[in-house]
């Protein structure tokens, strides 16, 4: 009377639920890792931008392209970032805001060494949000070297 119909097209509810659970677990692991990777790449780009601005100021001062000059031993000079250009990038902070170049600067401090004057370069970048990067020495520039603070940059 009844024929045994074998029409096995598709997935059972249990199979679908198992796939959804597995995908959920994978997403719980993958999303934080991808977010961390993106944040680290933004920070690395920011560090490279900071180094590029320091080098641009260094070369502009050495070539007398700026009204400022290298300081004498024991002195300091501050150059705002709107006076120099970098080859590429340098427009955004890692927080996605535009860098305010007129409020961001590179501070050069001269100290007398044994035979010559040694220069230390520090950069402070304001991005237009509530934060400013902390003044960071060139030798200390690395992924975790900037901090979002409420301090005023470059004495402004």
């Amino acid at each position: 009377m009844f024929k045994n119909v074998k029409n096995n097209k598709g997935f059972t509810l249990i199979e679908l639920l198992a796939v959804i659970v597995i995908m959920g677990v994978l997403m719980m692991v993958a999303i934080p890792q991808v977010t961390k990777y993106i944040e680290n790449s933004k920070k690395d780009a920011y560090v490279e931008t900071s180094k590029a601005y320091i080098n641009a100021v260094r070369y502009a001062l050495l070539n007398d392209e700026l009204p400022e000059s290298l300081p004498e031993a024991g002195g300091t000079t501050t150059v705002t970032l709107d006076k120099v250009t970098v080859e590429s990038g340098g427009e955004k902070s890692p927080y996605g805001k535009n860098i305010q170049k007129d409020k961001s600067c590179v501070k050069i401090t001269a100290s007398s060494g044994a035979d010559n004057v040694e220069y230390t370069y520090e950069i402070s970048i304001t991005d237009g949000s509530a934060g400013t990067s902390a003044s960071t020495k060139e030798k200390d520039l690395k992924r975790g070297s900037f901090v979002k603070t409420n301090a005023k940059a470059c004495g402004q």
Side-chain angles (χ1 to χ4, degrees):
M1 190 159 171
F2 292 104
K3 292 183 181 180
N4 196 1
V5 178
K6 298 230 177 200
N7 190 3
N8 293 336
K9 297 179 183 176
F11 298 104
T12 66
L13 182 60
I14 298 297
E15 291 170 329
L16 290 173
L17 287 174
V19 168
I20 291 171
V21 168
I22 291 170
M23 288 181 65
V25 169
L26 288 174
M27 289 305 205
M28 286 175 40
V29 172
I31 288 175
Q33 292 299 321
V34 169
T35 304
K36 183 178 174 184
Y37 178 77
I38 290 170
E39 187 67 24
N40 285 341
S41 65
K42 286 180 182 180
K43 290 176 182 178
D44 289 341
Y46 183 71
V47 167
E48 292 305 315
T49 298
S50 297
K51 289 179 181 179
Y53 274 116
I54 288 173
N55 285 330
V57 168
R58 178 183 290 126
Y59 296 134
L61 287 172
L62 290 174
N63 293 326
D64 293 325
E65 297 173 358
L66 297 173
E68 294 87 353
S69 61
L70 285 169
E72 299 294 326
T76 62
T77 299
T78 302
V79 178
T80 56
L81 299 186
D82 59 349
K83 296 179 182 175
V84 295
T85 57
V86 291
E87 294 279 326
S88 63
E91 301 298 324
K92 299 266 185 191
S93 76
Y95 305 107
K97 302 281 186 181
N98 287 329
I99 293 174
Q100 293 182 341
K101 294 181 183 180
D102 59 332
K103 295 181 181 176
S104 303
C105 66
V106 173
K107 178 179 155 187
I108 304 101
T109 306
S111 59
S112 56
D115 295 328
N116 57 1
V117 177
E118 295 179 8
Y119 298 102
T120 304
Y121 294 83
E122 295 181 56
I123 189 163
S124 181
I125 296 179
T126 301
D127 67 358
S129 66
T132 302
S133 71
S135 184
T136 306
K137 292 184 179 179
E138 179 183 20
K139 66 181 179 81
D140 297 330
L141 279 173
K142 53 187 171 282
R143 184 180 293 161
S145 64
F146 66 93
V147 180
K148 195 169 184 178
T149 66
N150 292 323
K152 297 280 184 182
C154 304
Q156 297 180 4

